[in-house]
Amino acid sequence: MAFPTETVYGLGADVYDIRAIAKIFEAKQRPSDNPLIAHVSSITQIKELTAEITKTAEKFIHAFFPGPLTLVLPKSVRVPFIATAGLDTIGVRMPRFELAHEFLSACRVPVVAPSANLSGKPSPTTWQAVVEDLDGRIDCILKGDATEIGLESTVVDCTGDVPLLLRKGAISLAQLKYVVPETVEHVPNGDDSPRSPGLKHKHYSPRAKVEIVGLREAELLQPSSVIPTAYIGLSRPAGRFRREKICRSVDDYAQSLFEFFRDCDRNGIHTIYCEAVPTSGIGAAVMDRLRRAVSG
Ligand code: TXA
Ligand code: MG
């Protein structure tokens, strides 16, 4: 069942139901080596899923749960390996969006849920985007509004002494460091792929080509006269584009980005120009998704 959270829509299954979890991988066409995040409605459920809540995790839970943050912890023996793609760790997250919380409470079990998109496509921020990717492949969708944040949760590995930021999101590195100063950004180096399996997979890419442009460049930008082009950014470009989104703020940019990518694909856009943003706050996560979309 697909359901909305404050970040993106997720596709959920009972963490203890191996068959249901297998169906998630099938519906999304997700590689089986990419682990799922378990969504909980209580601290008791975190204890049931994990072998240990480390000291750093405890601090992050206190500061940011419920919210757009996933903590990777040693898994308990109860969690089936299909949920964690064979890893002995599990990502746990407690969404703060009220409808998600009500749904999870009603389930009475932790719910593993990847983003509810076909693997490789941008995460869905509306129920319509879930229909677009998964109609006929899943049983039902809990319909809500467009998601508030629009980018996936921040993921932090809390299994070691030094917390590692694995995926950027609405909770910034600066906010994490404020709570645990040792926290560092994980830089993948090729031989440690088990640590952050999701990073090696293709992600967030629209079919259209994505180009990042700087502030100066954005203001001077003109649409191509030969190919369909689109623009998203904070600045107003010089010319009018086939599709364009002038964002009110970096938060608005984050919230709109994935739906804009999808809108461009629906409208046959060839190239999407995306204005770069400062990397403070959620800006770092926006830049991360843009860079992945460029290389995707
Ligand atoms: O905001 C979100 O996190 C959304 C909503 C639905 O909660 N979920 C989401 O799930 O984005 P998904 O599966 O699309 O992305 C999960 C990311 C992947 O990059 C995965 O590799 C990583 O988290 N991950 C999950 N479990 C992990 C683990 N045990 N160790 C390292 N990385 C893990
Ligand atoms: Mg995903």
Side-chain angles (χ1 to χ4, degrees), residues 98-173:
E98 189 53 36
L99 187 56
H101 179 75
E102 280 173 26
F103 166 64
L104 293 168
S105 303
C107 288
R108 291 152 157 234
V109 284
V111 171
V112 278
S115 49
N117 52 288
L118 280 176
S119 203
K121 296 253 249 137
S123 293
T125 56
T126 63
W127 65 261
Q128 290 91 340
V130 179
V131 172
E132 187 172 70
D133 278 16
L134 300 178
D135 191 22
R137 299 174 156 267
I138 63 174
D139 293 327
C140 71
I141 304 177
L142 181 58
K143 290 180 184 172
D145 294 332
T147 57
E148 175 199 335
I149 294 172
L151 301 181
E152 307 86 348
S153 63
T154 304
V155 180
V156 181
D157 182 339
C158 291
T159 56
D161 293 334
V162 174
L164 297 176
L165 171 60
L166 300 183
R167 180 174 74 183
K168 291 172 186 167
I171 306 284
S172 67
L173 180 58

Side-chain angles (χ1 to χ4, degrees), residues 271-293:
T271 301
I272 308 170
Y273 296 100
C274 304
E275 186 182 15
V277 292
T279 56
S280 56
I282 201 170
V286 170
M287 288 308 297
D288 171 72
R289 302 311 189 270
L290 291 181
R291 290 195 190 103
R292 284 169 198 276

Side-chain angles (χ1 to χ4, degrees), residues 197-275:
L199 298 181
K200 74 175 167 34
H201 295 289
K202 188 173 175 291
H203 259 298
Y204 320 114
S205 340
R207 269 197 308 278
K209 183 163 158 261
V210 173
E211 274 192 38
I212 301 175
V213 297
L215 172 66
R216 279 275 157 65
E217 239 183 303
E219 284 170 348
L220 300 173
L221 211 59
Q222 294 281 357
S224 157
S225 52
V226 285
I227 53 167
T229 50
Y231 169 83
I232 182 170
L234 295 169
S235 312
R236 190 168 288 282
R240 288 297 307 266
F241 287 75
R242 182 83 63 95
R243 311 298 296 175
E244 60 181 33
K245 165 84 187 163
I246 318 296
C247 306
R248 293 182 306 274
S249 61
V250 179
D251 284 345
D252 183 29
Y253 198 150
Q255 209 258 334
S256 313
L257 183 64
F258 288 158
E259 186 49 36
F260 189 75
F261 280 170
R262 283 176 179 269
D263 176 68
C264 288
D265 279 349
R266 282 177 214 123
N267 287 281
I269 297 297
H270 183 277
T271 301
I272 308 170
Y273 296 100
C274 304
E275 186 182 15

